[in-house]
Amino acid sequence: MSEKLFVSAQEVAERAGVSRSAVSRTFTPGASVSTETRRKVLEAAEALGYHVNELARGLMRNESGIVCLIVSDVATPYRSALLRELTLLLQNAGKVAMLINTDRSDGSVDRALRQAIRYRADASIMLSGMPDKSIAQLCLRSGQRLVLINRDDEQPGPLRINLDDDEAAGRVVTAFVRAGCRKLAFANSEAGTPSLMARERGFVAAANALGIKVSVERHGWTGYEAGKVLAQRMLTRTERPDAVFCATDLLACGFMDAARHQFSMSVPDQLCIAGFDDIEQASWSSYDLTTFAQPVSAIASKAVEWLSQPQPQPQNDDTICAQSIRLHAELVWRGSIRGG
Amino acid sequence: MSEKLFVSAQEVAERAGVSRSAVSRTFTPGASVSTETRRKVLEAAEALGYHVNELARGLMRNESGIVCLIVSDVATPYRSALLRELTLLLQNAGKVAMLINTDRSDGSVDRALRQAIRYRADASIMLSGMPDKSIAQLCLRSGQRLVLINRDDEQPGPLRINLDDDEAAGRVVTAFVRAGCRKLAFANSEAGTPSLMARERGFVAAANALGIKVSVERHGWTGYEAGKVLAQRMLTRTERPDAVFCATDLLACGFMDAARHQFSMSVPDQLCIAGFDDIEQASWSSYDLTTFAQPVSAIASKAVEWLSQPQPQPQNDDTICAQSIRLHAELVWRGSIRGG
DNA sequence: TTGTAAGCGTTATCAA
DNA sequence: TTGATAACGCTTACAA
């Protein structure tokens, strides 16, 4: 807006009595400047309140330092925890996070990626949604790196970080059975994201392998309220489950509250419950929920580490060095399953 | 990085058989282009996968479209809710959010603001911390706008959004007294931020006006665990309070859990509790907490609205059109105080 | 309505 | 080590 308000390297150079390139070099790590010129420049810069213009620098270097975080439901405990970790590590790596909110509307994710391209982000990290194949390819062709966290393995993108959801789900079955439960249930949302579905499949498969049938119910969008509704549905049946695995902690909290306060059931005596994510609330005394911990900091550091590496390889247009990382979700034992 | 990967307006112009300025105009709302040229340009752009370079555009226009959100403890329910609202509204206003995480270390906030300057952000919105006066002045002189949410009224910055914390605290006293409570307590953190202290002062003052003494305790950093510790301290005394106002919902949840599960007290029969923020968890059945709602969306829309206004006025260097907005925190009645 | 040309604040190249 | 000079990709007078 309006008249030249920010101080430019030119002005600093004039005041310090050096060339503008001397100023540039002073602020470029690893450039050769004599201590004397450096001192003069820094002094002038300080006095004038000069700060490098990253817009111009990014234009020249073809590297903006910006990393886009594409995410929906930022206010959700698990998402915000991951966000915290990512922004922290990005900052330490000398990058800066641009936050783009998506919703469930059509094209929301694509718009986010286009935004990332317009700002010439060095990379985009997707925590939610699935990008259209063509737009993702455009990102990659443009030299933008793409990281997909807990997204589909089918999705395009050079780095994919996933958990062992299905295998984890199997471990819950073991825990439930060991606690003497035989009437298992799985409470899911209708979101249908790959990780959610993998948990469901893994749970059902492991139970079936033991000759146990699982009643599955899906409702809403992975929130507390949906968990309550699911409980209302499953606990009003003639044959109540004696153990339920909820696809996320938020569902589990809602389920547990409904079971206790609306159906006067005691957890874990009459009903064992397990969740997934290990959000902060899972450890609160009122819930004391047995759950799987998302290795949030491991996820974040894998992602940022990968982004900080120079540039993997020459890039042949199509499958650009796709890489997949599978992390382990640790079971956190608490009081919502009998006989820990 | 490597060879020119992104498509430039130049290339689009060549393909479309027009000048580069025609391309520029096509992507500038309100510029004069004939429908025919526009069509040709859009076609070529689509085919080539062209996207305006906001870095270069920002350089020219002296307006980056970037708004920095400076915040600590992003993963906290209230903060992340505010963050959600802000990013959403900013996007709708055609801006983009840059997220900068601060911590309690010295200079953390100043570093964040310097980052904002380097990226030539149009504005910075501070949800946490207090900027050094000199760096804040630098922002303002540089033409960057500053919004302070729930910060000190003393702090520099042209737009300050605050709540009526002290007045709200007074209303809790009334509610407690009406419920028959006489032994009041206030549970605070050691953070000492202006809004927290205002709640404390308002509560104590209103109680004193009624001839009631308040026991005040401060501990930790406004989290669930701190609430538990505070409960342990205040409930092991010979004279237990019969009502406690916690400075935030997170403290209240911790306090309530400790009271119930460690001291077997019944809420609200033996102990009335109130909180502040109205985080999602406050409405969960296990807590059912009476609290004050932060008018999150009002806060966000006031901030973004103000940013979207052209540019208030000519700006005389020092106190640049400082403006203060005071919003009302509504009491949300739930079950943690008797006799709602 | 269109094209030409001059900047915006950097960094990179290349002599000196 | 230093200083000119040419990019980078865009917008915006100004002239046609």
Side-chain angles (χ1 to χ4, degrees), chain B residues 210-222:
Chain B
L210 265 56
I212 301 177
K213 270 209 166 161
V214 177
S215 72
V216 175
E217 195 83 41
R218 299 188 198 130
H219 174 78
W221 272 304
T222 333

Side-chain angles (χ1 to χ4, degrees), chain B residues 129-164:
Chain B
M130 325 210 182
D132 187 71
K133 212 137 193 161
S134 68
I135 180 87
Q137 283 303 330
L138 177 58
C139 284
L140 298 175
R141 263 189 293 130
S142 303
Q144 195 179 92
R145 305 204 215 174
L146 218 48
V147 179
L148 304 174
I149 298 181
N150 275 338
R151 306 293 88 210
D152 197 345
D153 254 333
E154 312 290 305
Q155 292 301 310
L159 182 59
R160 296 174 218 148
I161 304 179
N162 286 286
L163 301 189
D164 53 348

